[in-house]
Amino acid sequence: MALSIAARSAVAGQMRASEAASPPLVTPEACARCEAREVSVCSVLSGDDLARLSHISVVSTVGEGETFITEGDPADHFFNITAGTAKLYKLLPDGRCQVTGFARTGDFLGLAAGAVYVFSAEALEPVRFCRFARSKLRGFLRDCPEMERRLLDLARNELVLAQEQMLLLGRKRARERLASFLLSWQQRAAPGPGNRLMLPMTRTDIADYLGLTIETISRTLSAFKKTRLIAQTALSELIILNGTELAAIAAGDR
Amino acid sequence: MALSIAARSAVAGQMRASEAASPPLVTPEACARCEAREVSVCSVLSGDDLARLSHISVVSTVGEGETFITEGDPADHFFNITAGTAKLYKLLPDGRCQVTGFARTGDFLGLAAGAVYVFSAEALEPVRFCRFARSKLRGFLRDCPEMERRLLDLARNELVLAQEQMLLLGRKRARERLASFLLSWQQRAAPGPGNRLMLPMTRTDIADYLGLTIETISRTLSAFKKTRLIAQTALSELIILNGTELAAIAAGDR
DNA sequence: CGTTGTGTTGATATTAATCAACAAGTGTGG
DNA sequence: CCACACTTGTTGATTAATATCAACACAACG
């Protein structure tokens, strides 16, 4: 069995939040090393602890479009993404959807859950993850305070990001929201060749993340292209030409 | 010195989130007991641990309208509200404001912070709180895993609420937002005599919490009054007449 | 009493949603 | 290989929800 408990350094849409973020909990290098060995490693664990944690973990893979966490189901497991990207979302009875976040390699799912999951998770591209039972984790944490500390840091980080997103959803205009999203995604995603930014999600996903419609996303992206803030190299691939100006827009300065 | 680390059972705006919430971390009774003794008690601590924690805590009081946490300042302290209500908010450079939450007796402030605070806190009525240095807390937590576990539970709860609020801000309409707010506040606030609901915040605060304007709040409240969903007993005091219908509106069912 | 702050209500403006048409890409089957 | 449906994205026209602007009511307070 393989296992990984890791977290990328989260980057908020704004400088201020970025300053407040904790240092990387697990470096990208460590993640890569884990993957190569087929045994993902929690950076704070070693020896016996690691072995014990491996006992309670299971590795799985899901294909694009598959839902692997469903809102309302008993929250029996924690997840750690080891490859791919997933969207996390909540639904209203009439089908309205709010994407609460995107999870990438190293991210941890299931912190924001009580007895049942309060969100669903769907793979945007093939996703590999490491899953383990919350009941067993509880016992493990009792003997491994270092691990608990990391989880608290993770939760803190997520809380900072969530509040930043509240500001975005409650008070920013469409162009400010999209600018914020592009910049924060640029910082989270590994840059492609030639500084290209890959967007594994559809326009619908972006719209549901930013509280807008696909038409508004499309129009706003077109406006950014026309003013040379970004360039589009493929349908889901673009280059940020003027990050400074984009950051000013994201912050609401113009 | 007095000290308190406590948390009320958080109640989300929707049933689903409520089911998911952890059991009360500190009962209202325990809080009351703490207050009476002028030594607030963390329910998971006792004896030596409690004495040690008391060493690093300071009790303060701030008046209505006073800001006691400022976004961007070094996040040196944790806070635990022991009396009163405060609003937590973030600002955009041009003055737009997003209230990210309201903190009441027993609530804990400062979890969502890194090197600097990412939100400000202002007293809506006279607030008493217990404050202690994060640097000292860190050392304390090392020796008191039970305490750390509680903090993780608190953070988990806040995360659930934050995601519920994202759904509200991103996808709910004005009447749905206000209905959600009234119900969740009803569950958090101690009910006044005759089931009256006290709202210590102004229309502006509610508007900034729900991502709306004061005019929309006022109009929507008037509509609720006209359809007998609520009745107003004073400017900041009302009664929920039809909670069932209000819940249906909050959930987006009509 | 006037003044100020807060809330309400009405008229109008604006942003983004909705409705609609079409373009481009993808996959299928003949 | 092409015709076809089907999905996703773009753009335009119109509508709807909420913001903005404005007037006024009311209470608190000096």
Side-chain angles (χ1 to χ4, degrees), chain B residues 1-243:
Chain B
M1 287 189 229
L3 179 132
S4 158
I5 300 164
R8 300 169 60 82
S9 165
V11 176
Q14 280 197 298
M15 274 309 140
R16 199 176 286 155
S18 166
E19 287 165 21
S22 304
L25 301 177
V26 167
T27 62
E29 292 69 33
C31 278
R33 214 171 54 229
C34 302
E35 283 297 324
R37 286 201 252 158
E38 276 302 338
V39 178
S40 298
V41 176
C42 172
S43 68
V44 299
L45 296 183
S46 58
D48 290 349
D49 281 340
L50 184 57
R52 287 186 53 224
L53 193 46
S54 294
H55 278 307
I56 62 174
S57 78
V58 178
V59 170
S60 304
T61 305
V62 295
E64 181 179 334
E66 277 187 71
T67 299
F68 58 97
I69 298 179
T70 302
E71 189 178 358
D73 279 0
D76 295 331
H77 296 92
F78 275 104
F79 296 80
N80 184 219
I81 308 287
T82 56
T85 309
K87 67 170 173 182
L88 316 180
Y89 61 96
K90 292 169 73 77
L91 293 173
L92 285 172
D94 64 359
R96 278 175 283 175
C97 173
Q98 178 65 37
V99 170
T100 56
F102 296 102
R104 288 174 51 78
T105 303
D107 284 340
F108 202 74
L109 302 186
L111 269 175
V116 299
Y117 297 115
V118 294
F119 59 85
S120 301
E122 181 188 315
L124 298 179
E125 48 193 16
V127 162
R128 188 161 69 247
F129 60 78
C130 180
R131 192 191 69 183
F132 42 106
R134 284 158 63 99
S135 58
K136 291 180 181 166
L137 183 69
R138 218 177 336 263
F140 175 77
L141 288 181
R142 220 181 307 282
D143 304 324
C144 186
E146 192 59 40
M147 175 82 181
E148 193 144 50
R149 204 154 300 137
R150 293 291 167 145
L151 286 184
L152 188 54
D153 285 344
L154 281 172
R156 213 201 311 280
N157 250 325
E158 276 199 53
L159 225 30
V160 169
L161 293 177
Q163 294 183 0
E164 191 65 39
Q165 193 69 358
M166 283 189 222
L167 176 64
L168 180 148
L169 292 169
R171 287 303 181 214
K172 287 188 182 177
R173 294 194 257 104
R175 59 201 316 269
E176 298 165 344
R177 295 186 198 195
L178 193 55
S180 301
F181 168 70
L182 291 177
L183 289 174
S184 67
W185 190 255
Q186 182 186 39
Q187 301 204 264
R188 290 190 68 191
N195 238 355
R196 275 178 296 203
L197 189 60
M198 308 294 299
L199 299 175
M201 66 290 286
T202 66
R203 300 287 187 270
T204 301
D205 296 331
I206 300 175
D208 286 340
Y209 181 56
L210 300 178
L212 300 168
T213 59
I214 52 174
E215 292 95 333
T216 298
I217 300 298
S218 188
R219 278 187 249 271
T220 308
L221 274 179
S222 294
F224 284 172
K225 277 184 279 185
K226 200 151 65 185
T227 53
R228 304 281 168 163
L229 293 172
I230 63 172
Q232 197 167 16
T233 50
L235 243 181
S236 287
E237 190 183 296
L238 45 82
I239 301 175
I240 292 184
L241 298 176
N242 191 341

Side-chain angles (χ1 to χ4, degrees), chain A residues 68-84:
Chain A
F68 58 97
I69 298 180
T70 302
E71 189 178 358
D73 279 1
D76 295 331
H77 296 92
F78 274 103
F79 297 80
N80 185 218
I81 309 287
T82 56

Side-chain angles (χ1 to χ4, degrees), chain A:
Chain A
M1 287 190 229
L3 178 132
S4 157
I5 299 168
R8 301 168 59 81
S9 166
V11 176
Q14 282 197 298
M15 275 308 141
R16 201 175 287 157
S18 166
E19 287 166 20
S22 303
L25 302 176
V26 167
T27 62
E29 292 69 33
C31 278
R33 214 170 53 226
C34 302
E35 285 297 324
R37 286 202 250 159
E38 275 302 338
V39 177
S40 298
V41 176
C42 172
S43 68
V44 300
L45 297 182
S46 57
D48 291 348
D49 282 340
L50 184 57
R52 287 185 53 223
L53 193 48
S54 294
H55 278 306
I56 61 175
S57 78
V58 179
V59 170
S60 304
T61 305
V62 294
E64 181 178 334
E66 276 187 72
T67 299
F68 58 97
I69 298 180
T70 302
E71 189 178 358
D73 279 1
D76 295 331
H77 296 92
F78 274 103
F79 297 80
N80 185 218
I81 309 287
T82 56
T85 309
K87 67 169 172 181
L88 317 180
Y89 61 97
K90 293 169 75 76
L91 292 173
L92 285 171
D94 65 359
R96 278 175 284 174
C97 173
Q98 177 66 39
V99 170
T100 56
F102 297 102
R104 289 174 50 79
T105 303
D107 285 341
F108 202 73
L109 301 187
L111 268 177
V116 299
Y117 296 115
V118 295
F119 59 86
S120 301
E122 180 187 316
L124 297 179
E125 50 192 16
V127 161
R128 186 159 73 247
F129 60 78
C130 179
R131 190 191 70 181
F132 43 107
R134 283 158 64 98
S135 58
K136 291 178 181 167
L137 183 70
R138 220 177 332 263
F140 174 78
L141 288 181
R142 220 181 307 282
D143 303 326
C144 187
E146 192 59 40
M147 176 82 180
E148 194 144 50
R149 204 152 299 140
R150 292 293 168 145
L151 286 184
L152 188 53
D153 284 343
L154 282 172
R156 212 201 312 278
N157 250 325
E158 277 200 51
L159 224 30
V160 169
L161 293 177
Q163 294 184 358
E164 191 64 39
Q165 193 69 359
M166 284 189 222
L167 176 64
L168 181 149
L169 292 169
R171 288 302 182 214
K172 287 188 184 179
R173 294 195 258 102
R175 60 203 315 268
E176 296 166 346
R177 297 186 197 195
L178 193 55
S180 300
F181 168 70
L182 292 177
L183 289 175
S184 67
W185 190 255
Q186 182 186 40
Q187 301 203 263
R188 289 190 69 190
N195 238 354
R196 274 178 297 204
L197 188 61
M198 309 294 298
L199 298 175
M201 67 291 286
T202 66
R203 300 285 187 270
T204 301
D205 296 330
I206 299 174
D208 286 339
Y209 181 57
L210 299 179
L212 300 168
T213 59
I214 52 173
E215 292 94 333
T216 298
I217 300 297
S218 189
R219 277 187 250 271
T220 309
L221 274 179
S222 296
F224 284 173
K225 276 184 280 185
K226 201 152 62 184
T227 52
R228 304 284 169 161
L229 293 172
I230 64 172
Q232 197 168 16
T233 50
L235 241 183
S236 288
E237 192 181 298
L238 45 82
I239 301 175
I240 293 184
L241 299 176
N242 190 344
T244 312
E245 181 65 12
L246 218 47
I249 292 172
D253 277 334
R254 64 196 68 168

